[in-house]
Amino acid sequence: MKYTLKEHLAKKLIPKDAIEERVNTVAKISQENVKILNESAKGKKRKLIVTMEAIHVGRTKNYTYYTEEGLKAGLSSWTHPYNKPVLTHHNEYNGEPIGRILKAEYSEKTLSGKPGLIFTCEITDPDAIEKVLDGRYQTVSIGASTDKVICNICGTDRTQEWCDHWPGEKYEDQTCHFIIGTTYGREVSYVNTPADENAGNRTVEIVTDDGDTQESVHVQVYQMAEGLYQNAQDPEVNLYEHLNEDVKKLLDAMSNVKEESGKRMDGKENKTTENVNANNPEQTPNQGVPVQENQQGVQDNSNNTPENSPTPVQENKTVSGVADLEEANKRISELESKVSEMQATITKLVMEKVKLESRVSELESENNTLVSENARLVSEVHRALAEKVVDLKLSLRKSDVIGVTREEAIEAHVARTKESLTDTYNDLLAEAKQMRPEPGSVKNPGYAPEDNQTNESFQEEKMTAKEAVETMISMFSPKKRR
């Protein structure tokens, strides 16, 4: 299949200034909206001071991974050179800011149990103030830029070059995500579905024009019933299933106390109405209250036994219910503290795991480099051995290297194994040594004897003095000119 232009155009690099942590899903809105503050400040000019958890260390639903180093490195960018805006739905081009970020800090401990960025924001838009107070503006998402986006599968910087890995897809049982470098802040927005599910408002203060400040409250609501204990912001998770039996009994007792209290109140009202109607059918319900009291007085005088008096029993039950409620709240606080500690421990372990995986990747890269270098050196040594064998064969005038170039002979010998070349080289060395004369065996190395004449036979022929003189004269006399 040919590589098409459409496929090429689809391979877009990730822009460094286009990080928005939200997901395109339908928002899950809780039935019980959180009411943070009362309306005592209505009619006055007011603003909100909101503390929010903006982004946390770890992977989001967009499969982007934020590191502690990256969040800390870009921390000052949220308030310098100017305080970044608070927007809605990342509309940073033509949207009106509803407030500003006053302070940004990195915290190891948050209410969600994960380390991350904590923003202190000032909300001044009147419509936004109402929506924050009634819980419509609850979850947030950051808009930021970065210096690099690293693929965790291959280590490619996707802002500089393309790779074939997609976030969320699995490659050899490893899920792909992009590791964000330094996070440079642009804005924070209220959104319906944040990619970081723990990002949102944590405390809210309302400040009026006369300087009054309402007490801040934590935006954490838990729903409780028999067999049910859940956070209103996460209604799909039933925390009851993860509690031990003692805590489950306490929660069930709290639920039963609440239900019995409601039933007793309903029963008391019904009994009051019945007594009024029995003694004075024409009397209205508002007039029946003193009749109820008179009737109780008659009952007390006619029958003073403790068994027939319902009031002490009801008081004892109420006191017992309050005690159970206090004990359950105490136990829940202890469990929440333990859960936070466990989440912090898990977070640290995850970060340590990420660091170790990064170190393993570095070591694997170094190992691959060394393996490649070793293979290159082995190849060079093998070729050098082949060159030595070819050179020896050329000096010995071997038939397999006659009629071909030296490079062709070398390439043919490179294809042989190291053992074969080593054996051939040793054999050629031995043969060359046999053909080499022993030192001192040549009497006259400058004289080449005639065919079938040995050096010894030449040495046996002696010259006379006259022949020697003539030989010397012929050697040093000038040549005759023709």
Side-chain angles (χ1 to χ4, degrees), residues 256-271:
N256 293 333
V257 168
K258 184 177 180 180
E259 292 176 0
E260 290 176 2
S261 177
K263 290 179 180 179
R264 284 196 299 270
M265 293 298 294
D266 294 339
K268 185 175 180 181
E269 291 176 358
N270 293 335
K271 185 177 179 181

Side-chain angles (χ1 to χ4, degrees), residues 140-155:
V140 299
S141 169
I142 65 168
S145 58
T146 184
D147 56 349
K148 57 185 177 180
V149 179
I150 304 299
C151 172
N152 71 315
I153 301 297
C154 62

Side-chain angles (χ1 to χ4, degrees), residues 284-332:
T284 61
N286 292 332
Q287 297 171 339
V289 176
V291 176
Q292 169 78 12
E293 295 175 356
N294 292 334
Q295 186 177 2
Q296 288 179 353
V298 172
Q299 291 177 351
D300 291 340
N301 293 331
S302 61
N303 194 355
N304 292 327
T305 56
E307 291 79 7
N308 295 327
S309 179
T311 303
V313 177
Q314 186 174 356
E315 291 177 355
N316 291 336
K317 288 183 178 181
T318 302
V319 172
S320 176
V322 172
D324 293 340
L325 182 60
E326 292 177 352
E327 182 66 24
N329 288 333
K330 181 179 179 182
R331 182 62 175 165
I332 290 172

